[in-house]
Amino acid sequence: MGGIVAGVLFLTAGCHSSTPSKNNPDEASTSLKAYAVFNSDSAYSYVEDQVALGPRVPGSAAAQECASYISTELRRHGADSVRLQPGVVRAYNGDVLKINNVMGSFNPGANRRILLAAHYDTRPWADSDANEDFRTSPIPGANDGGSGVGVLLEIARQLGQRQPGIGVDMLFVDAEDYGQASGFSNHDESWCLGTQYWVQHLPYATDSLPAYAIVLDMVGGMDAKFHREYFSNQAAPEIVDRVWSIAAQSGYSDRFINKEGGIVIDDHYFIAKAGIPAIDIVESKNDQSKSFPTTWHTMADDMDHIDKSSLKAVGQTVLNLIYNEKLK
């Protein structure tokens, strides 16, 4: 997970209203059809499998194993195509990183497509840990790196059992979390290196871009709540409205809070720059820290702090969105 732009976490002016213009998710009518049931135990197992590989620092053996694991699972669940995108990027500190993005597609013949994305790499340094001895150690990355991937792989399993009416592309990116932590607002480009590489080598023609993209990041924290992230509201307010409405109709208005959240530099920020309206489902206004979860960039980002009910809330919401998506 990248960073919250320094000094502007809670804006009251110049920001898109947190209340949808046409419908309030908390008052949405329940016309939703539940075509699939998200299995949080399965998603949890996917997170557990990733953590068992060790820290997935870009260029490491564990990162390569994780890319292979994701590819294998996508094929096992019937993805129509699975592509590995190797590349080389340079980090802010001069490190040259060999990366691998993974992309899988379901129902490729559909005219309308959406993109779901998550990063699988983990922060090389626990630089937010209270224990200074840990600050040069790589984090386990259960939530920040593992949770979004776990939810997407369970969604992939469901899509393999029941083909959606729309096309669904899944992007698993590397080197999201290798950025410069000090002075976030001055170092935006140091984050999300895998996504920036993907954007530079976009696998779509300009007239066949996905209708929109949803990034999942840090979606497995204990009792996690998801507020409307600032750049999401700027790039695609109607998609935020839609997702938060689906969440409310799915019974998760207590998790998807229809209020303003943080301003987050994450993969959606760069996907939107490529011309694909993109939003971020991310915990950015934690009750205790008032920003990211307290485990963020610490050694406590482990399986003991993964909440199946958080995975369920996000996964079921996205599944319901997919199967209730309009085909036009």
Side-chain angles (χ1 to χ4, degrees):
M1 176 66 234
I4 292 182
V5 178
V8 287
L9 175 57
F10 305 114
L11 292 186
T12 57
C15 177
H16 177 78
S17 169
S18 62
T19 301
S21 57
K22 293 187 178 180
N23 74 302
N24 186 327
D26 295 329
E27 299 173 356
S29 61
T30 55
S31 59
L32 200 65
K33 293 182 180 179
Y35 292 97
V37 178
F38 185 88
N39 188 323
S40 60
D41 289 331
S42 174
Y44 184 92
S45 294
Y46 286 128
V47 179
E48 200 168 39
D49 287 348
Q50 294 170 80
V51 173
L53 296 174
R56 284 83 65 207
V57 175
S60 67
Q64 294 175 13
E65 289 173 12
C66 193
S68 177
Y69 170 76
I70 292 168
S71 300
T72 298
E73 290 304 298
L74 288 172
R75 292 189 182 97
R76 188 166 73 89
H77 296 321
D80 294 284
S81 68
V82 178
R83 289 163 283 173
L84 194 67
Q85 184 191 50
V88 177
V89 298
R90 184 179 295 274
Y92 75 94
N93 60 358
D95 289 351
V96 175
L97 309 174
K98 293 182 178 181
I99 65 168
N100 284 295
N101 295 327
V102 182
M103 191 167 177
S105 296
F106 293 84
N107 196 12
N111 291 329
R112 182 174 175 82
R113 312 198 61 74
I114 66 170
L115 174 67
L116 305 177
H119 77 93
Y120 70 85
D121 66 298
T122 54
R123 182 76 169 160
W125 321 279
D127 45 352
S128 292
D129 203 292
N131 187 333
E132 293 185 7
D133 293 338
F134 291 156
R135 291 181 185 170
T136 57
S137 300
I139 68 171
N143 191 24
D144 192 358
S147 64
V149 173
V151 169
L152 288 191
L153 289 178
E154 167 57 12
I155 290 175
R157 188 180 73 84
Q158 296 286 345
L159 298 183
Q161 294 178 358
R162 183 188 180 100
Q163 180 171 276
I166 60 168
V168 178
D169 296 330
M170 291 188 176
L171 174 63
F172 301 83
V173 293
D174 200 352
E176 185 272 351
D177 225 347
Y178 217 97
Q180 185 169 351
S182 59
F184 284 125
S185 59
N186 297 319
H187 305 292
D188 295 352
E189 304 294 324
S190 71
W191 300 92
C192 309
L193 300 179
T195 295
Q196 292 187 64
Y197 185 88
W198 181 81
V199 165
Q200 292 164 5
H201 303 83
L202 201 64
Y204 300 105
T206 54
D207 60 350
S208 62
L209 295 176
Y212 60 87
I214 300 175
V215 170
L216 308 184
D217 200 350
M218 295 198 297
V219 294
M222 302 304 295
D223 194 30
K225 295 179 176 61
F226 309 101
H227 294 68
R228 299 169 64 105
E229 187 275 331
Y230 174 81
F231 288 122
S232 304
N233 274 337
Q234 294 296 304
E238 70 285 353
I239 304 303
V240 181
D241 289 353
R242 172 75 169 152
V243 172
W244 264 245
S245 175
I246 292 285
Q249 293 177 68
S250 302
Y252 299 115
S253 58
D254 61 330
R255 294 304 192 103
F256 283 74
I257 310 301
N258 189 35
K259 294 180 180 179
E260 194 172 88
I263 301 177
V264 183
I265 298 299
D266 203 353
D267 296 305
H268 71 302
Y269 177 77
F270 297 98
I271 292 173
K273 283 189 170 185
I276 304 171
I279 74 167
D280 200 9
I281 300 177
V282 59
E283 185 178 7
S284 65
K285 201 172 181 181
N286 177 270
D287 289 342
Q288 184 175 343
S289 69
K290 307 306 179 186
S291 60
F292 291 147
T294 58
T295 58
W296 178 66
H297 291 180
T298 74
M299 297 302 289
D301 186 4
D302 55 23
M303 292 307 299
D304 289 341
H305 295 91
I306 293 295
D307 186 344
K308 291 182 182 179
S309 68
S310 298
L311 300 174
K312 173 71 173 181
V314 174
Q316 190 64 61
T317 294
V318 176
L319 262 185
N320 288 348
L321 174 77
I322 291 169
Y323 285 114
N324 288 270
E325 183 63 45
K326 295 179 181 178
L327 303 185
K328 63 180 181 178

